[in-house]
Amino acid sequence: MSENMVLQVEGLCFAYPECGVLDQWSAALPAGLALVRGDESSGKTTLLRLLAGELTAQAGRITLQGVNARETPKAYAQQVFWADPRSGDLDQLTARGWLGSLPARYPSWDAAALAVHTEGFSLHEHLDKPFYALSTGSKRKVLMAGARASGAPLTLIDEPVGGLDKPSAAYLGRALAQVASQPGRVVVVAHYEALPGVPWGTVVELHG
């Protein structure tokens, strides 16, 4: 793997019983921002779940900073941030409780960054609510605040603007732009179009 690449994907193949999704898909992503763009049902979320280790590919290799996802899954998982905004796994936790659990998992956790993003996303009034009581937009904002503060070498964000109000969407763009200059970290965002003003380093197209 090139020393300039944080994430390398080679020959990835994945299919559900009813349909194929990825066939010999490969990509090399340097540090910075990467956009996975595609229409509905093009495989964006499936790709993020594969990169997160939540799904297992039928073939192919995923390597993150020299760590192979298949050969050393635990070491790989320790370098990845992924929280599915559609999942109900966090429903019984409060936003504050979940955020408070993250420093133990992520060695590069940035408490100052969390404070900045909590303010930027106007999350203070929602921190003591359980996830099931949060709106779609508020839930996404909590997850993205955690994602940005995690410092994880591979950070995966799915459909980030779903349910966001305009001020929060504008703040998201600024927060993502800050990642572009961070060494050793790639943030992969799946969305159907490029977010305005965000300096994408890599754009990957999925066609389903």
Side-chain angles (χ1 to χ4, degrees), residues 120-141:
F121 282 127
S122 302
L123 287 175
H124 291 289
E125 65 183 285
H126 302 296
L127 290 178
D128 292 311
K129 297 177 182 177
F131 272 89
Y132 73 80
L134 296 175
S135 67
T136 298
S138 294
K139 180 177 181 179
R140 271 184 162 83
K141 288 189 286 186

Side-chain angles (χ1 to χ4, degrees), residues 120-184:
F121 282 127
S122 302
L123 287 175
H124 291 289
E125 65 183 285
H126 302 296
L127 290 178
D128 292 311
K129 297 177 182 177
F131 272 89
Y132 73 80
L134 296 175
S135 67
T136 298
S138 294
K139 180 177 181 179
R140 271 184 162 83
K141 288 189 286 186
V142 172
L143 297 181
M144 288 189 292
R148 284 288 288 106
S150 71
L154 175 59
T155 299
L156 306 166
I157 300 175
D158 196 20
E159 300 294 353
V161 299
L164 262 61
D165 53 82
K166 287 185 178 181
S168 294
Y171 177 75
L172 169 65
R174 296 193 298 273
L176 287 175
Q178 295 170 6
V179 179
S181 60
Q182 279 190 277

Side-chain angles (χ1 to χ4, degrees), residues 9-161:
V9 184
E10 302 167 87
L12 201 64
C13 296
F14 182 82
Y16 293 108
E18 66 276 10
C19 68
V21 181
L22 298 170
D23 183 17
Q24 293 293 318
W25 189 86
S26 299
L29 302 182
L33 287 170
L35 172 66
V36 176
R37 183 166 59 188
D39 294 332
E40 193 72 23
S41 301
S42 61
K44 300 186 300 298
T45 300
T46 296
L47 176 58
L48 294 194
R49 293 178 67 197
L50 286 162
L51 296 178
E54 192 174 90
L55 293 175
T56 301
Q58 280 90 30
R61 175 190 295 264
I62 302 172
T63 308
L64 175 60
Q65 292 190 328
V67 178
N68 184 283
R70 189 182 296 272
E71 295 173 359
T72 51
K74 185 175 180 180
Y76 178 88
Q78 289 173 343
Q79 299 189 72
V80 180
F81 179 96
W82 164 245
D84 189 344
R86 300 172 184 84
S87 171
D89 291 349
L90 303 178
D91 278 357
Q92 301 307 312
L93 299 176
T94 64
R96 190 187 303 277
W98 177 70
L99 290 167
S101 72
L102 298 181
R105 179 174 176 182
Y106 298 104
S108 297
W109 177 261
D110 188 340
L114 177 64
V116 169
H117 299 311
T118 298
E119 184 70 31
F121 282 127
S122 302
L123 287 175
H124 291 289
E125 65 183 285
H126 302 296
L127 290 178
D128 292 311
K129 297 177 182 177
F131 272 89
Y132 73 80
L134 296 175
S135 67
T136 298
S138 294
K139 180 177 181 179
R140 271 184 162 83
K141 288 189 286 186
V142 172
L143 297 181
M144 288 189 292
R148 284 288 288 106
S150 71
L154 175 59
T155 299
L156 306 166
I157 300 175
D158 196 20
E159 300 294 353
V161 299

